[in-house]
Structures are given as C-alpha cells and as structure tokens.
Amino acid sequence: MKRGEERVRKYGHLLRLSLAALLLASSLAGCGVVSDGSANTKNNTGTGNAAAGKDDGKIVIGLSMDTLKEERWQKDRDIFSAKVKELGGDVKVLAANGDDATQLSQAEQLISQGVDVLVVIAHNAEATAPIVEKAHKEGIKVIAYDRLINNAEVDYYISFDNVRVGELQAQAVIDQAPKGNIVYIGGADTDNNAHMFKTGAMNILKPLEEKGDIKIVYDQFSKDWKPEEALKNMENALTAVKNDVQGVVAANDGTAGGAIQALTAQGMAGKIPVSGQDADLAAVQRIAEGTQQMTVYKPIKSIATKAAEMAVAAAKGEDIATDTSVYNGKFDVPSVLLDPIPVSKDELSILIEDGFHKLEDVYKNVPKDQWPQQ
C-alpha cells in the first residue's frame, strides 16, 4: 500500500511539473518573440520583449515588421528605433518573418499593450487591413511604412515613389538593351509595392514593345520576394526562349540575385543587364564586379528618420505635413513619398559617402588596383 501511495505521489509531482512547463511555453509564445535565424533572440525583435509593458509617461511606438531576415529591414529597424529614442520615446518591435497570421497576432499584442502609435511594415497589403480597424478602436493611429495597407483607413503612409523605382529599373536595362527579349522578375504578388514597381517598369517597357523594339517574353511575380523563387522564374524564362534574353528587370536585389544565379549557370552573368533595388551589400558587390547593372538606392536613413518623426508627432497629436495622397482601394491615404536614386557602377560612391556601405566591403571581390581612388 505504501509503495502504491509513493507511486501516486511521484506521478502527481511529474504531472505538476509538466503542466508548469506547458504554461511557461505558452506564456513565452504569447510574447511574440520571433526568430529571424540569428542566435540572439533579442535582436530578432529589435528592442527585446515587447510584452515588457509601457513605461509610464513615455511615448511608446509599436513597430510591426514583415521580416528581419533581409539586411535592408534590419537597418530600418535600427535607424527608426534610434530616432524615436532621440525624440524621447521608446519602440517595441515585433517581426512576423513573412507570416500573415503572426503579423496580425503581433499587432494585436502591441495594441493591447497600449502603444501610442502603430507603425506597420506589411507582409500582405490586404491581410494587414484588420490591424488598422483594431488599432483605431483603441484610439491608436496607424502609419504604413514603405508598403501601403490596402482597403483600410490608414492615417499616414510613408514610402518612396515606387512607380518611379520601377521606371528607373526598366530604363537602366533598356539603356543597355534597347532591342530584343526582356524578362520581368517581380516581387511578391501580396505586396502592393511589387505591383507599383511593375507599373513603373511597364510604363517604360510597354511603349517599346508596342513599337516592336523589345518583347516581354516572361513576366512573373516571385512568392514572398524569395531569391529561390526568382531563380526558378529565371530558369523557366531561359528555358522558354532558349536563353535568347537581352535584359532582365528584377524588382529588388534579392530577386536580382536569384536571376543572376540562373544566368551564371548558363554562362550569361555579366553579359546582359539586370536591375534591382535596396542597395543590399551583395547587390552592390555584384555591380562592382559587373554581374548586376544597377540598383535603386532608397536612403533608409531618410525614410526611417522621417517615419520616426511622424510617429512621435502623431503620438503627441500634432499635425503632420504630407505632400500627396495615395488611394488604397478604399481611402486616399495622406502620404509622404521620397525620391529614389538609381545607382550603377559609376555611382557606387554615393553609398560609401552616405555611410551605407564601406568601400572595402563594396569592392571586396574586385582587385585592389581597380578600386576607386580615395
């Protein structure tokens, strides 16, 4: 009998430990700590655990991010957070890493913590619309950062002129390949920006196709902006036209990298122009080496700093000056649109002068005697 009682006590103790572990795991999951593939979980969310609570009397800005897996977005986070802190506020950052349900859940988490303003870098222009309604119910204004949120009464939108980005990309390719077959490798179909980039590119390409100067032989979006999806698209394009391609308009540097990987396999890298955008280090290295024609530089310091100023002003109830509006399917969103800058091999110095990249990093794969004089 005593042995049986001891066994019951032992199993009961183990059951209590298991339940405690389960409750702890659930509470941690609720904190929204999302891995971006690095070892440091704190860095994954930008400023640590967003569930830590709001500091009394201090402005707190929530930053809901699509992803931190790309170099570009890590820069946005860091500059934005630093500027808000300089202005006397704090930032809580959560990154969904490309998952719509996670981004919605994380935004709700930030709203429930009583952030003063919510800044959203949307993964999906449509799926993030409920975030705006939920925030407004709590009296929280929403700023769409770099990517428009569709079909929602967003308070403000800040980005670059994304139609102009697409025009710059296409024009740079056409300048090098005014005749022949052109491939368009788009971004994520779910990202409103990808459609704007494509609109801009087609503003340049379609009239030339109508004249008979060029032919758009392939035109596809790349799921979630993944380079591996762009690689597949480029492989399909090359197969379809038996490598008879004279230029590639790729929507960003990641998709450009995937396209160039496919071209490399066919011995074509560096022989035809490929566009991009974001001025990622890998891309500017390819430009220095000669395998990518250009990128579009969107000074992240400009957009992140301006967005931080807008967020803090909105939190204080101040008026925010906007220079235009952008229709999102439901509402003319008051907008601030910044100017993008095309960068080819001859303009790489602007990235170095701005402190965006270091000279030794940009020209890492180029013989030193070919580096520009300092």
Side-chain angles (χ1 to χ4, degrees):
M1 185 69 178
K2 289 182 179 179
R3 184 180 299 174
E5 290 174 352
E6 179 64 27
R7 184 177 299 166
V8 169
R9 284 196 296 271
K10 179 179 178 182
Y11 288 162
H13 178 64
L14 290 173
L15 179 60
R16 286 191 295 274
L17 286 175
S18 298
L19 287 171
L22 180 61
L23 288 171
L24 177 60
S26 298
S27 66
L28 288 174
C31 292
V33 179
V34 179
S35 172
D36 66 351
S38 70
N40 189 337
T41 303
K42 182 176 180 180
N43 286 340
N44 296 340
T45 57
T47 55
N49 185 350
K54 180 176 175 179
D55 294 329
D56 291 339
K58 203 169 192 178
I59 287 172
V60 178
I61 309 299
L63 180 58
S64 170
M65 302 187 71
D66 166 22
T67 185
L68 280 169
K69 289 184 176 180
E70 296 177 18
E71 171 195 333
R72 177 260 155 102
W73 297 114
Q74 296 168 25
K75 291 178 182 288
D76 287 82
R77 172 201 61 190
D78 294 344
I79 296 169
F80 179 88
S81 298
K83 186 62 179 180
V84 169
K85 288 179 181 179
E86 180 188 318
L87 295 171
D90 277 337
V91 182
K92 296 182 183 297
V93 185
L94 289 175
N97 291 339
D99 185 85
D100 293 336
T102 299
Q103 184 162 33
L104 179 58
S105 174
Q106 289 178 344
E108 290 173 339
Q109 195 177 327
L110 292 167
I111 291 166
S112 70
Q113 291 160 19
V115 297
D116 296 290
V117 171
L118 184 62
V119 178
V120 179
I121 303 173
H123 171 252
N124 185 315
E126 301 290 341
T128 46
I131 292 174
V132 180
E133 183 179 355
K134 291 175 184 293
H136 284 176
K137 283 182 178 178
E138 301 300 326
I140 299 169
K141 290 185 176 180
V142 178
I143 297 175
Y145 182 113
D146 198 51
R147 297 173 176 175
L148 191 61
I149 298 172
N150 287 342
N151 297 309
E153 295 186 3
V154 183
D155 295 282
Y156 298 101
Y157 170 51
I158 180 168
S159 187
F160 290 86
D161 186 338
N162 292 316
V163 172
R164 182 63 181 147
V165 169
E167 291 173 345
L168 292 172
Q169 292 172 329
Q171 190 61 58
V173 171
I174 290 301
D175 286 345
Q176 300 298 314
K179 304 283 185 180
N181 292 337
I182 303 296
V183 169
Y184 186 80
I185 305 292
D189 189 25
T190 56
D191 182 351
N192 187 71
N193 280 8
H195 293 273
M196 297 174 80
F197 301 143
K198 181 176 176 179
T199 295
M202 294 305 163
N203 286 346
I204 303 297
L205 299 179
K206 283 293 186 182
L208 295 173
E209 185 173 48
E210 290 168 4
K211 284 174 59 180
D213 291 346
I214 67 166
K215 184 177 180 181
I216 303 168
V217 295
Y218 192 86
D219 172 7
Q220 288 291 329
F221 288 104
S222 302
K223 181 178 171 61
D224 290 334
W225 292 98
K226 291 180 179 178
E228 56 267 33
E229 294 294 327
L231 168 62
K232 292 176 188 175
N233 278 332
M234 193 67 221
E235 289 174 338
N236 290 339
L238 292 171
T239 299
V241 295
K242 299 180 180 178
N243 290 0
D244 184 15
V245 172
Q246 281 66 55
V248 179
V249 180
N252 77 342
D253 288 334
T255 53
I260 290 168
Q261 187 178 343
L263 292 171
T264 300
Q266 299 298 317
M268 298 170 65
K271 296 179 181 179
I272 65 172
V274 180
S275 70
Q277 76 163 303
D278 291 334
D280 287 348
L281 179 57
V284 298
Q285 287 174 341
R286 291 193 295 264
I287 292 171
E289 296 163 29
T291 57
Q292 184 168 324
Q293 171 64 26
M294 64 86 73
T295 187
V296 178
Y297 175 43
K298 301 185 298 185
I300 293 173
K301 187 173 182 180
S302 298
I303 186 173
T305 299
K306 182 64 177 176
E309 292 170 348
M310 290 171 66
V312 172
K316 293 179 178 178
E318 298 173 357
D319 290 333
I320 296 174
T322 57
D323 48 30
T324 188
S325 64
V326 177
Y327 185 64
N328 70 351
K330 180 179 182 179
F331 185 70
D332 287 316
V333 183
S335 303
V336 174
L337 300 181
L338 307 174
D339 293 327
I341 303 170
V343 176
S344 58
K345 197 169 187 176
D346 292 337
E347 291 89 35
L348 289 174
S349 60
I350 190 174
L351 305 175
I352 297 162
E353 291 166 3
D354 275 9
F356 194 72
H357 291 305
K358 295 179 181 179
L359 182 142
E360 57 269 28
D361 293 333
V362 171
Y363 292 94
K364 176 183 177 182
N365 303 322
V366 176
K368 200 156 189 178
D369 60 359
Q370 297 177 28
W371 288 20
Q373 292 186 352
Q374 301 180 56

